Amino acid sequence: SMPCIVKPDDSSGSKGVTLVCDSGDFASAIAAALEHSRSGLALAQRYEAGFQGTVEGCLLDGEIVFSFVTERHLPTLPVVATAGHSVPS
């Protein structure tokens, strides 16, 4: 169902991520995602408006020594790249 987010399964930094609001744009969103996918796979997820957070942390000798949640700030849609974070969220 629309809207949805189409993205590579293995990319970072919002490269190849598209917000699709019209089903006619789905094929081009898949193509954009595949351009940034090392594995050659893409996925689509239902878009849910609301709070977007990230979990950041630090590993020491393979153990998480601390972690925290940030609030993710986005520019005006349809851009989905991160514009910044707030801590605490």
Side-chain angles (χ1 to χ4, degrees), residues 43-66:
L43 57 100
Q45 300 173 311
R46 182 178 57 231
Y47 176 75
E48 297 284 347
F51 175 81
Q52 291 192 27
T54 61
V55 177
E56 305 292 338
C58 183
L59 292 175
L60 180 63
D61 297 325
E63 299 290 326
I64 299 173
V65 293
F66 70 90

Side-chain angles (χ1 to χ4, degrees), residues 1-6 18-26 29 47 77-78:
S1 67
M2 297 297 155
C4 70
I5 296 286
V6 175
T18 305
L19 174 64
V20 180
C21 296
D22 183 292
S23 59
D25 297 328
F26 191 75
Y47 176 75
L77 292 175

Side-chain angles (χ1 to χ4, degrees), residues 58-87:
C58 183
L59 292 175
L60 180 63
D61 297 325
E63 299 290 326
I64 299 173
V65 293
F66 70 90
S67 63
F68 54 94
V69 176
T70 70
E71 181 177 359
R72 184 174 177 227
H73 300 285
L74 302 174
T76 304
L77 292 175
V79 176
V80 293
T82 301
H85 294 90
S86 293
V87 177

